[in-house]
């Protein structure tokens, strides 16, 4: 299989104006059938709405991986990797991945959620040592004083200094999505101070624009491959 970057946007689980109960019941049934016990255990500790978002995203990710690997969803075992806790089938947080028949599945994966949407990215048949990160952001979530000081480098702050209102929020979100995509790619996450990571022009980091990304126009996203 040739190596390829594949991105998929999955719409919100809850549709405004529709009774969410039947879809939630179906989701719970599917999760019990397809997800692994450690994933279900993590979900059990969550409040109902975040739990549904978590389960819907994990189901979407598992189906996405199964489709790309051309196997059945139930043949995959979640096998995450956390820089602090290690990796393997018992780990369900950190960098996503699956095992297939006891061996790591040959697929890089990354996942992000914002405004109900789940964004999935994969690299099929990856090169040894290759890494992947993806992130989606809702600009409305970054409308607070102090964001630039805690999140942006001095050069990034200068780049957004003249912007106002929507343009400012979108520029912030674009930079934040690039940072989180990069930090998921390295596996560090926000343990690395984001204001020390310049992403104005970082090799390997690419913006994912709507409509090609499959996301609505009001969300912004980025992917990092390296
Ligand atoms: C990675 C991170 C920046 C994403 O946070 P976020 O913006 O709230 O969430 P997003 O929806 O964009 O992404 C969530 C997904 O990121 C992925 N992810 C989490 N940590 C990751 C890491 N270290 N490397 C790569 N991907 C990671 C997971 O797929 C997670 O999905 P899940 O909820 O189904 O497990 C944040 O979770 C983080 O900094 N984590 C690392 C902190 C850490 O190492 N803690 C130690 C735990 S013991």
């Amino acid at each position: 299989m040739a190596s390829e970057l594949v991105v998929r946007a999955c719409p919100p689980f809850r549709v405004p104006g529709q009774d969410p109960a039947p879809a939630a019941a179906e989701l719970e049934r599917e999760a019990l059938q397809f997800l692994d016990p450690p994933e279900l255990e993590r979900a059990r500790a969550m409040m109902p709405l975040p739990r549904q978002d978590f389960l819907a995203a994990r189901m979407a990710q598992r189906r996405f991986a199964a489709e790309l690997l051309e196997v059945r969803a139930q043949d995959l075992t979640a096998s995450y990797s956390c820089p602090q806790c290690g990796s393997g089938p018992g780990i369900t947080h950190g960098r996503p991945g699956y095992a297939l028949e006891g061996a790591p599945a040959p697929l890089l994966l990354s996942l992000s959620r914002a405004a109900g949407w789940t964004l999935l990215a994969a690299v099929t048949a990856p090169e040894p040592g290759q890494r992947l990160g993806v992130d989606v952001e809702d600009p409305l979530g970054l409308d607070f004083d102090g964001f630039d000081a805690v999140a942006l480098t001095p050069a990034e702050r200068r780049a957004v200094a003249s912007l106002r209102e929507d343009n400012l929020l979108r520029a912030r979100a674009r930079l934040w999505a690039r940072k989180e995509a990069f930090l998921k790619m390295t596996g560090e996450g926000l343990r690395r101070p984001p204001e020390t990571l310049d992403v104005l022009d970082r090799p390997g980091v690419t913006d994912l624009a709507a409509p090609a990304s499959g996301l609505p126009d009001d969300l912004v996203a980025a992917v990092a491959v390296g």
Side-chain angles (χ1 to χ4, degrees), residues 181-199:
F182 183 85
L183 293 173
K184 286 180 187 170
M185 183 195 82
T186 64
E188 296 163 287
L190 291 172
R191 294 182 314 140
R192 174 163 171 183
E195 74 280 13
T196 64
L197 174 70
D198 199 297
V199 290

Side-chain angles (χ1 to χ4, degrees), residues 21-22 43 60 85 96 142 186 189 220 223:
C85 309
L142 304 180
T186 64
V220 302
V223 64

Side-chain angles (χ1 to χ4, degrees), residues 42 54 58 80 82-85 92-96 111-113 135 180 184 187-191:
R42 193 176 149 196
F54 173 79
R58 287 294 174 110
Y80 277 60
C82 164
Q84 223 154 287
C85 309
T92 60
H93 64 275
R95 184 200 298 283
L111 175 151
S112 183
R113 288 180 290 260
D135 194 65
E180 286 212 352
K184 286 180 187 170
E188 296 163 287
L190 291 172
R191 294 182 314 140

Side-chain angles (χ1 to χ4, degrees), residues 195-210:
E195 74 280 13
T196 64
L197 174 70
D198 199 297
V199 290
L200 283 172
D201 195 17
R202 184 160 284 265
V205 180
T206 312
D207 293 337
L208 294 170

Side-chain angles (χ1 to χ4, degrees), residues 35-103:
L35 298 188
D36 299 326
E39 291 181 294
L40 295 172
E41 194 180 314
R42 193 176 149 196
R44 266 195 291 277
M46 297 176 184
M47 298 297 281
L49 296 188
R51 171 190 163 86
Q52 288 168 5
D53 288 341
F54 173 79
L55 293 176
R58 287 294 174 110
M59 284 302 306
Q61 178 181 268
R62 182 175 284 260
R63 290 205 166 100
F64 179 59
E67 188 186 308
L68 294 172
L69 291 163
E70 299 181 352
V71 300
R72 298 179 313 163
Q74 58 268 45
D75 293 340
L76 297 171
T77 304
S79 181
Y80 277 60
S81 119
C82 164
Q84 223 154 287
C85 309
S87 55
I91 304 286
T92 60
H93 64 275
R95 184 200 298 283
Y98 290 102
L100 181 59
E101 293 171 357

